Amino acid sequence: MHYMEVMRLITIAEHVAPTSDENVTVTDTEFSNVAVRLYLPRKPASGLRRAVIYFHGGGWCVGQAGMKSYDLLSRWTSSQLDAVVVSVNYRLAPKYHFPVQFEDVYSVTKFFLQSSVLSQYGVDPNRVCVAGDSAGGNLAAAVVQKLLEDSEVTTRIRAHVLLYPALQTLDLNLPSYQQNENGLILPKSLMVRFWSEYFTTDSSLREAMTSNRHVPAESGHLFQFVNWSNLLPEEMKKDYVYTSPVFGSSKLAKKYPGFLDPRAAPLLAEDARLHGLPPTYVLTCEYDVLRDDGVMYVSRLRAAGVRVTHDHAKDAFHGALMFVSSPTSLPVGNRLRNRYIAWLNENL
């Protein structure tokens, strides 16, 4: 079996059926021919409700809305905020590669934002959020950027949540990658594998990414958007020294151009594309290879005039928000979940 197919078996074992409870009605359905799990509050509505469109993590290769941890988070979100939650089951690598994952979540979002659909579910068109964690945070950032350019979408996203997101493919040797190279949940080798599998099963891309020599010289101008020496605060640079990029062959970029596409790497978006983005919540964790991706995006969003709340958890690790139920419940997971919900309650 393919490595990622083996990993997916673990997530399948965590699958729970769509089971309603006293607070939320849960159903599996499809929006725009893409599978979603829908959470609807059961108590009578006093008016139009808020809505959260959520994209799960898993490196674009594993995970699903029906995993116990994601099911619990969606239930909690729906019941605490009296909100409709749409959790998207986008198609996964290695069977499907970029841009399929992006197209799936964008299609669902665009479908849900239609006035007729919002009306059907009693949702206030001025109170819709797009959110995601890890690879799902990547997709959430890309979707919200794209929506600003889509003249067919008249509903504006009210809020935007990125939980320890993966946002760039250019520099896979950031201080956070070096510091957490052998991290327990998401070591550098696994993150590089996720990135490469997102685009292809061709091992040559993974090998080039591992050595951080996958970007061709003709794309060198893009490094300005991920230059951590300019975008990280001093306390996060630690004792690491910035070195100029070492360029690789142009063959890989021509064969797999997706890794230089802002839809796959939202940090590569031009500054002009960031103007007009909605209020944004970004969670980063100290012990996470993706920490610096989120921090750099915070810097760029603020420079573009976007209102950003940056919550940096100095005692947390990648995926901590999922550790909220026994037997793996951790205080840090519950704390981060509550902060996320509190921000949504205030800003959505």
Side-chain angles (χ1 to χ4, degrees):
M1 295 179 68
H2 189 279
Y3 177 79
M4 288 303 171
E5 291 174 336
V6 175
M7 288 195 66
R8 194 177 304 156
L9 291 177
I10 301 172
T11 67
I12 291 174
E14 286 284 305
H15 180 268
V16 293
T19 306
S20 302
D21 58 29
E22 66 275 13
N23 298 314
V24 183
T25 299
V26 183
T27 56
D28 283 346
T29 184
E30 290 187 353
F31 284 175
S32 192
N33 297 314
V34 178
V36 301
R37 180 162 288 193
L38 188 62
Y39 299 80
L40 303 176
R42 299 191 73 164
K43 66 181 180 181
S46 57
L48 293 177
R49 288 191 163 103
R50 299 180 273 199
V52 177
I53 306 171
Y54 195 88
F55 311 140
H56 68 78
W60 310 278
C61 298
V62 299
Q64 54 179 305
M67 281 180 64
K68 183 178 180 181
S69 55
Y70 287 114
D71 183 70
L72 286 173
L73 179 62
S74 295
R75 287 174 187 276
W76 181 262
T77 303
S78 182
S79 61
Q80 292 295 306
L81 299 178
D82 189 30
V84 173
V85 176
V86 180
S87 189
V88 185
N89 270 321
Y90 51 90
R91 287 171 290 176
L92 300 171
K95 186 175 182 180
Y96 302 99
H97 297 292
F98 174 83
V100 169
Q101 291 84 340
F102 170 80
E103 290 172 345
D104 279 357
V105 296
Y106 192 78
S107 178
V108 167
T109 304
K110 192 168 179 176
F111 174 86
F112 187 72
L113 292 178
Q114 296 176 98
S115 58
S116 59
V117 178
L118 294 173
S119 177
Q120 178 184 345
Y121 292 104
V123 172
D124 186 337
N126 296 311
R127 304 182 77 184
V128 179
C129 170
V130 171
D133 68 288
S134 194
N138 165 284
L139 294 169
V143 163
V144 173
Q145 287 183 10
K146 180 66 175 176
L147 285 172
L148 288 180
E149 303 173 347
D150 193 333
S151 60
E152 296 179 356
V153 180
T154 57
T155 302
R156 297 292 297 270
I157 295 298
R158 173 73 171 269
H160 183 209
V161 172
L162 310 177
L163 306 171
Y164 30 79
L167 297 171
Q168 60 87 31
T169 51
L170 262 66
D171 190 350
L172 303 182
N173 200 38
L174 301 170
S176 58
Y177 271 91
Q178 296 181 57
Q179 177 185 328
N180 300 291
E181 180 176 3
N182 299 308
L184 181 63
I185 301 295
L186 187 65
K188 176 180 176 179
S189 59
L190 180 55
M191 189 61 229
V192 170
R193 183 72 181 257
F194 280 144
W195 270 124
S196 63
E197 294 285 351
Y198 189 22
F199 305 109
T200 177
T201 53
D202 182 349
S203 62
S204 62
L205 179 60
R206 182 170 77 252
E207 292 165 2
M209 284 183 160
T210 298
S211 63
N212 213 35
R213 298 185 177 189
H214 53 291
V215 180
E218 55 265 34
S219 299
H221 64 284
L222 295 174
F223 277 96
Q224 64 182 303
F225 301 129
V226 299
N227 185 331
W228 62 263
S229 67
N230 296 329
L231 295 170
L232 291 183
E234 290 301 321
E235 63 269 20
M236 289 192 177
K237 295 178 184 177
K238 305 184 188 296
D239 295 324
Y240 297 100
V241 177
Y242 182 81
T243 57
S244 299
V246 178
F247 298 112
S249 167
S250 61
K251 292 181 180 179
L252 284 174
K254 290 178 179 177
K255 197 171 183 180
Y256 310 113
F259 73 82
L260 299 175
D261 190 321
R263 294 175 300 166
L267 251 175
L268 302 186
E270 299 277 350
D271 292 342
R273 289 192 70 190
L274 304 181
H275 294 294
L277 289 176
T280 302
Y281 176 87
V282 180
L283 170 66
T284 56
C285 298
E286 180 66 21
Y287 303 105
D288 182 4
V289 293
L290 299 178
R291 178 194 69 208
D292 295 346
D293 282 24
V295 175
M296 291 193 295
Y297 200 49
V298 167
S299 296
R300 292 200 56 209
L301 290 177
R302 285 176 173 164
V306 178
R307 182 162 64 87
V308 183
T309 299
H310 179 204
D311 193 353
H312 180 62
K314 295 183 178 181
D315 60 343
F317 51 88
H318 188 83
L321 195 74
M322 297 298 108
F323 289 81
V324 294
S325 63
S326 87
T328 58
S329 178
L330 295 174
V332 66
N334 287 284
R335 188 183 80 240
L336 296 181
R337 180 190 64 177
N338 291 339
R339 286 184 186 177
Y340 157 59
I341 295 297
W343 186 88
L344 279 179
N345 194 40
E346 294 177 6
N347 293 275
L348 182 58

